[in-house]
Amino acid sequence: MRDGTIKQVRIVQTSLDRTLVIEGNGRHTNEAYLENHDIYMLKFRTRGNVVFNEHGERILSTSQSQKFAKDASVVYYRDGREVEAYNLRMDQHVVYYETDKKGRGQSVSEPRSDIFMVCYPDGTRDILVDLQNSNWLWRQPQTETPPVPVPAQQPETEDKEEETSDTPTTNQRVTIITRTGGKLHVWLVSEGKQMISYKKENSAKAPVFKMSRSRIKAIKRN
């Protein structure tokens, strides 16, 4: 999950915005839906991984599962890569590790801001980037159009996150089609020249998400 927790489940179905899983073992099982925007990675035992970004869009899929040595640390990058690491150390800004425990591999140094989590051989986990914090900007693929910077003199009323209240919302149901081909069925809260804001549920208490227009191919009104 994007908060670093791990759920042992059986995956039944993955759709555009959520994943159906079976929790528990034996007779004590139940089906539950997990929102894709809360998931960092689905790790399948045989078919590889599926990685989601903060909007619940798939950004990486692998066709083969990876197995790591029991005495190795595993570095999980924000873009979904997972790397076996040895002699791992870090300072305030950089993570250092080697790809072979006998020193015959590569010596790697990476910015801490590129790494989501490190899993150590003893089972402990070290979260380096809070993926649930909207202040962290997801690194876009190089093929994507870079986000357009918001002008400094932009009116305060535009693209500002909407405050929720106890009164029912009157948001418009739309389908957002991203440039990568993903589809989000959401309720549109506000539109600006550079950003839009939306909710995934038509509720006054539902969280409000933002998306740059540079990532959007089209918005279809339902």
Side-chain angles (χ1 to χ4, degrees):
M1 306 299 288
R2 297 182 72 80
D3 62 359
T5 58
I6 296 176
K7 293 179 179 290
Q8 299 289 343
V9 299
R10 183 155 61 92
I11 299 171
V12 179
Q13 174 181 300
T14 301
S15 62
L16 292 176
D17 56 357
R18 58 183 183 171
T19 297
L20 178 61
V21 301
I22 296 179
E23 300 176 318
N25 294 310
R27 297 180 180 179
H28 303 286
T29 61
N30 65 288
E31 291 188 350
Y33 279 101
L34 301 177
E35 297 293 330
N36 289 347
H37 63 75
D38 291 331
I39 300 172
Y40 163 70
M41 177 188 291
L42 299 177
K43 286 182 64 68
F44 295 87
R45 291 184 178 179
T46 56
R47 52 166 280 193
N49 304 333
V50 177
V51 182
F52 300 94
N53 66 10
E54 73 274 23
H55 300 293
E57 301 167 332
R58 304 182 199 194
I59 60 168
L60 177 67
S61 295
T62 60
S63 59
Q64 293 182 344
S65 60
Q66 289 184 270
K67 294 183 178 180
F68 301 105
K70 293 182 179 180
D71 60 345
S73 299
V74 181
V75 176
Y76 290 91
Y77 285 79
R78 293 176 63 193
D79 61 9
R81 289 176 294 148
E82 50 183 350
V83 178
E84 188 172 276
Y86 298 90
N87 302 322
L88 188 144
R89 60 200 185 280
M90 67 183 76
D91 57 29
Q92 185 177 0
H93 302 291
V94 182
V95 175
Y96 308 90
Y97 63 86
E98 297 177 4
T99 58
D100 184 89
K101 64 180 177 181
K102 295 183 179 180
R104 292 177 297 188
Q106 295 179 334
S107 295
V108 180
S109 59
E110 297 279 13
R112 282 185 55 158
S113 59
D114 285 352
I115 296 174
F116 163 47
M117 177 175 65
V118 177
C119 291
Y120 296 100
D122 63 359
T124 58
R125 300 187 294 273
D126 195 355
I127 307 297
L128 304 185
V129 170
D130 183 3
L131 295 185
Q132 293 187 316
N133 187 345
S134 60
N135 291 327
W136 284 97
L137 299 178
W138 188 269
R139 174 171 291 182
Q140 301 296 322
Q142 294 181 358
T143 55
E144 295 257 349
T145 304
V148 179
V150 178
Q153 298 181 350
Q154 188 176 4
E156 293 184 0
T157 56
E158 188 174 16
D159 301 331
K160 185 177 180 181
E161 183 169 297
E162 298 290 325
E163 295 183 359
T164 58
S165 63
D166 293 333
T167 57
T169 59
T170 57
N171 305 318
Q172 183 179 8
R173 179 71 165 171
V174 300
T175 299
I176 299 175
I177 303 175
T178 66
R179 294 184 182 274
T180 57
K183 293 183 179 181
L184 295 176
H185 303 287
V186 298
W187 279 266
L188 191 64
V189 176
S190 65
E191 294 185 81
K193 293 182 180 179
Q194 310 296 340
M195 303 282 290
I196 68 164
S197 59
Y198 63 90
K199 295 181 179 181
K200 293 198 172 184
E201 296 179 3
N202 190 19
S203 168
K205 295 183 179 180
V208 177
F209 299 89
K210 288 186 176 182
M211 181 181 294
S212 171
R213 281 193 176 273
S214 64
R215 301 187 58 200
I216 299 174
K217 181 178 181 181
I219 298 178
K220 293 186 177 181
R221 318 284 171 169
N222 296 338

